[in-house]
């Protein structure tokens, strides 16, 4: 009883609030519908349990469900790991390389960023995912990625069951006329008759579950890009920092090359930092191994440079294509459609000729502020959100009227 009480603490019970959100409600609903219908269809109408194949199939369906839910709840409740409140580096002089978070009253450790949703500084933050109502970061990156792998595989298995159930049950019920195809739902498929006949309600429910399974396979499968992030040991936020670093070097014509410090030069070594046999990622989330020739604070130093430089803090873009603000726009290309950011943050409508200040971005999407007047003055009213990268181009004024003096370029 004492062990049980030590596990269930007040803080852990507070985490259950994460379930009271549209993301987990929808995700768990889809998992419940697909897994339940796959088991019912399999046992009653497609592959009965008294056969060897049916028993193996049923065990596999249960196995998919258990593994998916295990990794899903791990990603949600274990969380990404937060920088301790009031944290500061052991060597006091290292604070000059770090940013200070006023909300957490602590310095931001390398690779950590403050999440407005969680209201904490998150270790190795990649993004805040609405489907788990939590951030994806240091501690739950492996569980989150395994969930993204297992969910499509389980849905593919379930979709196969749904298709085969409808095929076997409707094969002898179809009648073809000159211009019509009819389904006789009163005819039986199996002999002896199943306990529950495959009627219209069962057909409609199976068809609905098939749609959910196929949709989940596509939607969740697209998010498996997380594996690419793990193999490069570079989060989506860090990819944007690297892009702005290269832009800063090019703009000021500096004789330097930015090297991302946390890529160990081997995909296997990067992979082992996240996936371990113990299930606990390497390190403590506050200090990180760096490649040869790099500094522990190389990335944070670059962030400080960008923060001090107003020009690269946010990159100016001019809108060249209209955008309606749709979540997954079909008319902006297949890659833009399938890589839509999985976030609660809004999209913003764009009209040709408007200007945007982009503060971060992905390969095919950018996030920033649309300035409602024609000036780029700090403090003017703005609309903030995501928009497709192909709808904008870097503002030509950066190259024509905003060039830094030669002396300034050399100094920087």
């Amino acid at each position: 009883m004492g062990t049980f009480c030590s596990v269930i603490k007040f803080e852990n019970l507070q985490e259950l609030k994460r379930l009271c959100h549209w993301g987990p409600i929808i995700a768990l609903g889809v998992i419940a519908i697909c897994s339940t219908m796959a088991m019912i269809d399999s046992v009653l109408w497609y592959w009965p349990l008294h056969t060897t194949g049916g028993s193996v199939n049923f065990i596999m369906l249960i196995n998919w469900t258990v593994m998916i839910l295990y990794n899903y709840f791990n990603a949600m409740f274990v969380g990404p790991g937060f920088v301790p409140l009031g944290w500061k580096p052991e060597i006091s002089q290292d604070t000059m390389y770090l940013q200070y978070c006023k909300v957490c009253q602590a310095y931001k450790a390398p690779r950590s960023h403050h999440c407005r949703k969680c209201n904490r500084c998150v270790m190795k933050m990649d993004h805040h995912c609405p489907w788990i109502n939590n951030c994806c970061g240091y501690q739950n990156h492996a569980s989150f990625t395994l969930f993204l792998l297992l969910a499509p595989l389980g849905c593919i298995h379930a979709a196969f069951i749904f298709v085969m159930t409808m095929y076997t049950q409707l094969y002898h019920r179809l009648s073809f006329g000159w211009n019509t195809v009819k389904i006789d739902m009163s005819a039986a498929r199996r002999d002896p008759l199943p306990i529950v006949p495959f009627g219209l309600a069962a057909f409609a429910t199976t068809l609905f579950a098939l749609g959910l399974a196929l949709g989940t396979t596509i939607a969740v499968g697209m998010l498996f890009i997380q594996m690419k992030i793990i193999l490069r040991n570079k989060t989506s936020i860090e990819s944007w920092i690297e892009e702005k670093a290269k832009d800063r070097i090019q703009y000021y014509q500096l004789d330097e090359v930015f090297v991302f410090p946390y890529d160990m030069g081997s995909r296997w070594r990067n992979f082992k930092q996240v996936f371990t046999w113990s299930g606990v990622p390497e390190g403590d989330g506050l200090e990180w191994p760096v490649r040869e020739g790099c500094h522990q604070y190389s990335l944070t130093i670059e962030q400080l440079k960008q923060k001090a430089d107003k020009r690269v803090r946010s990159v100016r873009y001019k809108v060249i294509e209209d955008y309606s603000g749709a979540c997954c726009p079909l008319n902006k290309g297949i890659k833009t459609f399938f890589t839509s950011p999985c976030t609660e943050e809004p999209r913003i409508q764009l009209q040709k000729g408007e200007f945007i200040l982009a503060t971060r971005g992905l390969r095919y999407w950018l996030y920033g502020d649309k300035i409602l007047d024609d000036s780029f003055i700090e403090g003017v009213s703005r609309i903030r959100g995501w928009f497709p990268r192909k709808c904008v181009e870097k503002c030509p004024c950066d190259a024509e009227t905003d060039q830094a003096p030669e002396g300034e370029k050399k100094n920087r």
Side-chain angles (χ1 to χ4, degrees), residues 153-208:
L153 292 178
C155 285
I156 290 173
H157 186 185
F160 172 79
I161 298 296
F162 299 146
V163 170
M164 293 306 298
T165 298
M166 290 188 291
Y167 173 76
T168 55
Q169 290 297 314
L170 301 180
Y171 182 77
H172 292 300
R173 304 183 184 195
L174 294 172
S175 59
F176 298 90
W178 287 103
N179 297 314
T180 61
V181 178
K182 296 182 179 180
I183 302 178
D184 182 8
M185 297 304 293
S186 64
R189 172 65 185 90
R190 255 179 29 201
D191 189 17
L193 293 176
I195 299 174
V196 180
F198 189 78
L200 185 60
F203 172 73
T205 307
T206 300
L207 192 61
F208 175 70

Side-chain angles (χ1 to χ4, degrees), residues 172-406:
H172 292 300
R173 304 183 184 195
L174 294 172
S175 59
F176 298 90
W178 287 103
N179 297 314
T180 61
V181 178
K182 296 182 179 180
I183 302 178
D184 182 8
M185 297 304 293
S186 64
R189 172 65 185 90
R190 255 179 29 201
D191 189 17
L193 293 176
I195 299 174
V196 180
F198 189 78
L200 185 60
F203 172 73
T205 307
T206 300
L207 192 61
F208 175 70
L210 175 62
L212 286 180
L214 294 177
T216 302
T217 301
I218 297 172
V220 179
M222 292 188 302
L223 298 177
F224 195 60
I225 193 175
Q226 287 294 322
M227 183 56 70
K228 182 179 179 181
I229 288 173
I230 290 172
L231 294 178
R232 293 183 176 181
N233 207 354
K234 185 188 306 178
T235 67
S236 56
I237 296 176
E238 291 167 347
S239 296
W240 177 246
I241 295 172
E242 183 181 33
E243 183 178 334
K244 289 198 292 183
K246 294 177 180 178
D247 180 66
R248 180 183 63 83
I249 293 171
Q250 181 181 10
Y251 177 77
Y252 292 112
Q253 299 177 9
L254 301 175
D255 187 18
E256 64 180 75
V257 177
F258 178 78
V259 178
F260 185 73
Y262 304 115
D263 185 353
M264 305 310 295
S266 165
R267 292 186 175 184
W268 175 242
R269 290 180 66 187
N270 292 338
F271 180 85
K272 287 196 300 180
Q273 279 195 13
V274 177
F275 291 96
T276 60
W277 288 111
S278 65
V280 180
E282 291 185 355
D284 60 2
L286 300 173
E287 293 185 6
W288 300 89
V290 295
R291 65 189 303 166
E292 188 176 352
C294 291
H295 191 270
Q296 175 66 224
Y297 301 107
S298 293
L299 193 66
T300 55
I301 292 172
E302 176 59 35
Q303 287 179 263
L304 291 172
K305 289 180 181 178
Q306 294 177 10
K307 186 176 181 181
D309 190 341
K310 293 181 180 180
R311 197 202 66 83
V312 296
R313 188 191 307 174
S314 55
V315 183
R316 288 184 287 186
Y317 287 87
K318 183 177 181 179
V319 180
I320 58 175
E321 289 185 23
D322 291 346
Y323 168 54
S324 65
C327 181
C328 300
L330 282 169
N331 61 339
K332 301 303 178 185
I334 193 70
K335 292 181 178 179
T336 301
F337 176 81
F338 282 116
T339 57
S340 178
C342 180
T343 174
E344 292 180 284
E345 294 169 319
R347 275 58 168 174
I348 54 175
Q349 295 183 358
L350 301 179
Q351 290 185 350
K352 191 174 181 180
E354 293 178 330
F355 291 95
I356 302 288
L357 289 177
T359 55
R360 53 190 167 98
L362 304 173
R363 186 171 182 180
Y364 298 104
W365 289 81
L366 291 172
Y367 181 88
D369 301 319
K370 179 170 71 170
I371 301 178
L372 299 184
D373 56 18
D374 294 331
S375 63
F376 291 103
I377 303 174
E378 291 290 337
V380 296
S381 56
R382 297 170 180 175
I383 297 177
R384 178 175 294 174
W386 289 94
F387 53 92
R389 190 184 282 262
K390 70 172 297 182
C391 293
V392 297
E393 65 179 3
K394 283 190 178 179
C395 187
C397 64
D398 283 347
E400 296 172 6
T401 63
D402 198 30
Q403 288 287 347
E406 289 298 324

Side-chain angles (χ1 to χ4, degrees), residues 87-89 91-100 107-108 295 297 300-305:
W87 180 86
K88 59 182 179 180
I91 303 175
S92 59
Q93 287 134 348
D94 289 347
T95 57
M96 63 184 295
Y97 303 124
L98 300 173
Q99 298 182 54
Y100 187 77
Y107 287 93
K108 295 182 181 179
H295 191 270
Y297 301 107
T300 55
I301 292 172
E302 176 59 35
Q303 287 179 263
L304 291 172
K305 289 180 181 178

Side-chain angles (χ1 to χ4, degrees), residues 14-26 28 72-73 76-77 131-133:
Q14 288 290 85
E15 287 293 307
L16 292 177
K17 290 182 179 179
R18 295 192 181 276
L19 292 169
C20 303
H21 182 265
W22 64 264
I25 291 173
I26 293 177
L28 293 174
Y72 179 82
F73 287 127
M76 178 187 293
F77 294 126
W131 302 111
I132 62 173
N133 195 21

